[in-house]
């Protein structure tokens, strides 16, 4: 496996379900990100992890819960979602985050989530 | 507040040159990125500008004017495979937060 992988690629869940999205990066990067991409809206940054520590949370509702057990893996735990949470969820990684040097991000293919 | 503007759609002809503009008003600035996103695929990195001026990379160039809050992406010798959305994104002062524009959908016609 190379680059950034995400599973599952598609997910349909009811509002009372609990599910998790998984992201793995094989690039040796230290920073990982979760983004939400909705139709006709800009890409929205949700969470940033740098060396496994959460450094940014952009006022995301608590029904989204991130977990970063190590620099290569990132999870997004979902529970009691709403239909408006249906979107493409993209994971990304970069060499680092913060500081004087800003690095480009490498994105995974995304998980298409539908909440019914 | 954070605001990034880009044209929604653009159309150009194969072999031509197209310029995609991006204007931004953000609370901090630590560089501007351009990404390309084909339909149904992940965004891929194109360019990064942190100082004023032009950065050239093959057929793609990107320009930045920090005083004007303005950037553009220039695509030369357009090819059909350049049909995609082009996303402009600004990194904040600490490089932790990235604000994306709405994207410009470019259609390249034969």
């Amino acid at each position: 496996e190379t680059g950034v992988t995400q599973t599952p690629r598609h997910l349909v869940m009811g509002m009372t379900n609990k599910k998790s999205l998984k992201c793995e990066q094989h690039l040796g990067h230290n920073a990982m990100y979760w983004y939400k991409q909705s139709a006709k809206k800009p890409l929205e940054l949700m969470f940033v992890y740098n060396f496994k520590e959460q450094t940014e949370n952009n006022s995301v509702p608590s029904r989204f819960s991130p977990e970063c057990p190590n620099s290569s893996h990132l999870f997004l735990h979902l529970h009691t979602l709403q239909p408006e949470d249906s979107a493409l969820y993209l994971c990304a990684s970069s060499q680092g985050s913060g500081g004087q040097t800003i690095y480009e991000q490498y994105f995974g293919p995304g998980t298409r989530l539908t909440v019914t | 507040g954070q605001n990034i503007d880009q044209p929604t759609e653009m159309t150009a002809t194969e072999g031509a040159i197209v310029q995609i503009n991006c204007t931004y008003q953000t609370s901090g600035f630590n560089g501007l990125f351009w990404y390309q996103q084909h339909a149904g695929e992940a965004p891929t990195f194109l360019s990064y500008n942190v100082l004023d001026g032009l950065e050239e990379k093959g057929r793609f160039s990107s320009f930045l004017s920090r005083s004007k809050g303005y950037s553009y992406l220039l695509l030369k010798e357009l090819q059909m495979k350049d049909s995609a959305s082009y996303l402009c994104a600004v990194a904040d002062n600490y490089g932790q937060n990235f604000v994306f524009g709405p994207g410009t959908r470019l259609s390249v016609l034969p």
Side-chain angles (χ1 to χ4, degrees):
Chain A
E1 291 276 16
T2 57
V4 181
T5 58
Q6 290 186 243
T7 54
R9 294 293 308 276
H10 299 271
L11 178 62
V12 179
M13 60 186 287
M15 289 191 284
T16 57
N17 290 159
K18 287 185 182 181
K19 296 286 184 183
S20 295
L21 308 185
K22 179 183 176 183
C23 175
E24 185 173 358
Q25 59 96 0
H26 309 267
L27 300 167
H29 288 165
N30 297 314
M32 297 188 78
Y33 311 79
W34 278 118
Y35 284 90
K36 177 182 179 183
Q37 189 170 38
S38 306
K40 303 196 187 301
K41 290 179 71 174
L43 205 58
E44 300 170 61
L45 180 64
M46 300 173 73
F47 302 104
V48 180
Y49 278 83
N50 201 19
F51 290 96
K52 303 188 299 178
E53 299 297 321
Q54 187 181 123
T55 55
E56 197 80 14
N57 174 341
N58 275 344
S59 304
V60 180
S62 59
R63 58 186 183 270
F64 295 91
S65 173
E67 179 190 359
C68 189
N70 54 60
S71 293
S72 298
H73 293 86
L74 186 65
F75 295 89
L76 188 63
H77 304 299
L78 317 171
H79 64 98
T80 58
L81 294 191
Q82 305 299 310
E84 60 264 29
D85 296 323
S86 298
L88 181 68
Y89 288 85
L90 290 163
C91 173
S93 70
S94 68
Q95 200 168 326
S97 176
Q100 291 189 330
T101 304
I102 309 299
Y103 299 97
E104 69 271 24
Q105 295 173 40
Y106 292 76
F107 286 82
T111 295
R112 175 69 62 185
L113 174 67
T114 303
V115 181
T116 60
Chain B
Q2 315 275 58
N3 188 50
I4 298 182
D5 283 322
Q6 301 178 237
T8 305
E9 292 190 29
M10 297 183 72
T11 303
T13 305
E14 197 174 13
I17 299 173
V18 71
Q19 177 175 312
I20 302 174
N21 296 325
C22 170
T23 58
Y24 64 89
Q25 291 173 305
T26 55
S27 55
F29 182 85
N30 207 350
L32 187 144
F33 290 85
W34 284 96
Y35 286 86
Q36 179 191 60
Q37 186 176 24
H38 285 100
E41 296 184 14
T44 55
F45 169 74
L46 289 177
S47 69
Y48 171 61
N49 294 69
V50 65
L51 300 176
D52 290 352
L54 188 69
E55 295 277 344
E56 296 187 75
K57 253 190 198 180
R59 294 190 298 116
F60 292 7
S61 303
S62 55
F63 171 82
L64 176 67
S65 168
R66 288 172 297 171
S67 62
K68 295 181 180 176
Y70 168 69
S71 173
Y72 67 72
L73 180 70
L74 192 72
L75 292 76
K76 302 176 187 174
E77 301 169 17
L78 281 173
Q79 301 174 10
M80 300 296 287
K81 66 179 182 179
D82 297 329
S83 293
S85 288
Y86 291 85
L87 313 178
C88 169
V90 170
D92 71 2
N93 267 344
Y94 304 102
Q96 302 270 28
N97 193 17
F98 297 86
V99 182
F100 277 77
T104 298
R105 182 178 296 183
L106 174 67
S107 299
V108 180
L109 305 177

